Amino acid sequence: GDNWIPIQYFGPFAVPLALPMALKYFMYDQRKALAKGAETKIIEGILGSTRYITSQTPLAGINMFFNALESMSLASGLPMPRVYVMESEQINAFASGRDPEHAVICFTSGALQKLNKQELEGVVAHEMSHIANYDIRFMTLTAVMIGIISILAEIFLRSLWFSGDRDNKGGAILILLGVLFAVLAPIFAQLVSLAISRKREFTADATAVKFTRYSPGLSSALKKIKNEHVSPKDKHHYSAA
């Protein structure tokens, strides 16, 4: 609108001014979302083929699944999370929620049908480990920080462009540095995020073994998941080898 102040009036102060405003907006938005119980509605809102289930839901493998869930809840000392199932033949699962009291886990129907008791316990333990380690909250904050870095890089670049110093040699160098920062900062932040995510997955695997005290179950489940993503041509190649 007409009340916005052009960014060139802030110059080099644009970045330090923008950071607290961005953080304040994010925290306010998160408080509103959490007040509405957003964690328990994320699954239903994003995935249309997903439904909430209980131990009484008529579904193949439901009894074995809830037995595994109860066992891992006792082993981890965590409350039972809300459970959803997504109609899919592939083996997959994920967890969501800011803390154990508001946790949600979702399994595909293929996982319930194709995994045996030990494998199912391993996968459940893996998702419970993400909840116990607060991985969902941590990775959410990591994603937000990446977004903030990208925004600040863009603001920094624009503040240099509107500063009026681009006609001299020093201003041109600053603009060049600004372009490099704007391009490289988000890439670097994304690489750090991927490295953190990989480490959290390894930690979840190790914690899951502590919960189940039986590593072959999770190992066998991971092999089944991997084989589902191998093309028939590659399967034939591996079997021939």
Side-chain angles (χ1 to χ4, degrees):
D2 297 332
N3 295 326
W4 285 99
I5 301 176
I7 194 170
Q8 59 265 37
Y9 287 102
F10 294 106
F13 299 103
V15 173
L17 284 172
L19 180 57
M21 289 189 292
L23 289 174
K24 182 179 179 181
Y25 175 80
F26 167 72
M27 295 305 297
Y28 173 73
D29 189 63
Q30 288 298 299
R31 284 197 298 269
K32 288 198 302 181
L34 297 180
K36 297 178 181 178
E39 294 92 342
T40 59
K41 299 183 182 301
I42 290 175
I43 310 294
E44 298 139 305
I46 297 178
L47 303 174
S49 60
T50 303
R51 57 193 174 105
Y52 173 72
I53 62 171
T54 67
S55 58
Q56 306 302 318
T57 302
L59 189 67
I62 194 68
N63 292 330
M64 185 172 63
F65 172 68
F66 269 89
N67 287 338
L69 186 61
E70 291 174 1
S71 298
M72 293 305 101
S73 178
L74 291 173
S76 62
L78 299 175
M80 287 270 289
R82 291 172 61 89
V83 184
Y84 291 79
V85 65
M86 180 173 61
E87 297 300 328
S88 173
E89 295 183 358
Q90 291 188 336
I91 303 173
N92 210 341
F94 64 90
S96 181
R98 72 183 189 274
D99 54 43
E101 287 71 30
H102 300 85
V104 173
I105 63 173
C106 178
F107 274 67
T108 61
S109 55
L112 303 186
Q113 297 167 8
K114 297 177 182 179
L115 299 179
N116 61 34
K117 181 178 181 295
Q118 290 77 21
E119 294 166 345
L120 200 55
E121 283 186 348
V123 177
V124 170
H126 177 90
E127 300 307 326
M128 295 288 282
S129 298
H130 281 306
I131 296 170
N133 297 332
Y134 291 84
D135 287 342
I136 299 94
R137 176 193 291 180
F138 182 81
M139 293 309 298
T140 299
L141 292 176
T142 300
V144 170
M145 292 307 300
I146 291 174
I148 291 176
I149 289 172
S150 301
I151 293 172
L152 294 182
E154 182 69 19
I155 291 175
F156 178 68
L157 178 61
R158 292 179 180 273
S159 67
L160 291 176
W161 181 259
F162 289 111
S163 63
D165 296 330
R166 59 182 181 274
D167 294 331
N168 57 54
K169 186 176 180 180
I173 293 175
L174 285 177
I175 290 177
L176 179 60
L177 292 176
V179 171
L180 290 175
F181 176 71
V183 172
L184 296 179
I187 296 175
F188 178 75
Q190 186 64 40
L191 291 175
V192 172
S193 174
L194 293 174
I196 293 173
S197 177
R198 186 178 181 85
K199 184 176 181 180
R200 305 296 281 198
E201 287 296 327
F202 287 147
T203 302
D205 288 340
T207 307
V209 172
K210 291 182 180 179
F211 290 163
T212 61
R213 299 182 182 277
Y214 186 73
S215 58
L218 178 59
S219 177
S220 178
L222 293 175
K223 289 178 181 177
K224 283 188 177 181
I225 295 172
K226 180 181 179 180
N227 289 334
E228 281 199 341
H229 293 83
V230 177
S231 65
K233 182 179 178 181
D234 290 334
K235 287 182 179 180
H236 177 74
H237 173 74
Y238 294 143
S239 62

